[in-house]
Amino acid sequence: MAFDTAQRSGCSVSICFSLASLLLALQQSGQAERAAEVLQRGLAASRGMHYFQCIFHSMAAYCALENDRQGEAHQWLKEAFGLAAQQGYLNFHPWRDDIMVRLFQEALTADIETDYVRFWAERRNLD
């Protein structure tokens, strides 16, 4: 319902926030196929909006890890954290420490933007 309202408004920001929330809910409820569809919509909707590109690339990495596609997850992490490092801040909505810990651990293991990831892990007091 929130997505329908956002879509009717035509506001790209509202659409992206709604898609991000829907994606997370679908992924966590085990609806991987529907989550993949929403992810593709989110990636398309976020083109040109760096704030949301970081979000959807991070979420793509999370979905890939949840589905045991580590190589794909690493590519998404490179893109998400590379863009975040260029911007100087990290975006993730909704900010979930458990998800970010998993993404940070994977990035550190794969040697992806390690200085940047350590900075954010410390700033968020994540182990």
Side-chain angles (χ1 to χ4, degrees):
M1 182 170 161
F3 176 72
D4 293 336
T5 302
Q7 198 166 25
R8 279 193 304 274
S9 76
C11 176
S12 298
V13 171
S14 296
I15 291 169
C16 285
F17 272 122
S18 295
L19 287 170
S21 297
L22 179 59
L23 171 58
L24 186 60
L26 290 169
Q27 183 63 38
Q28 291 183 328
S29 68
Q31 298 180 57
E33 192 171 304
R34 285 195 58 214
E37 292 170 13
V38 171
L39 174 61
Q40 291 308 311
R41 290 170 72 183
L43 289 167
S46 68
R47 283 192 190 112
M49 296 189 298
H50 291 168
Y51 178 88
F52 289 105
Q53 283 179 309
C54 286
I55 292 169
F56 284 104
H57 289 188
S58 296
M59 293 179 83
Y62 173 71
C63 290
L65 287 171
E66 286 289 292
N67 293 295
D68 297 318
R69 296 188 315 264
Q70 191 174 32
E72 182 182 336
H74 291 176
Q75 186 58 41
W76 286 116
L77 286 171
K78 287 176 188 175
E79 292 178 26
F81 292 151
L83 183 57
Q86 288 174 5
Q87 294 180 138
Y89 57 90
L90 181 64
N91 303 312
F92 190 78
H93 169 79
W95 188 274
R96 294 274 311 267
D97 287 348
D98 58 328
I99 293 172
M100 293 312 295
V101 165
R102 183 160 187 208
L103 294 178
F104 287 172
Q105 287 173 334
E106 193 66 36
L108 291 173
T109 300
D111 198 30
I112 298 169
E113 296 289 344
T114 55
D115 292 338
Y116 190 72
V117 169
R118 284 190 183 105
F119 167 80
W120 277 103
E122 288 175 16
R123 186 167 181 184
R124 295 285 302 167
N125 295 318
L126 302 175
D127 294 329

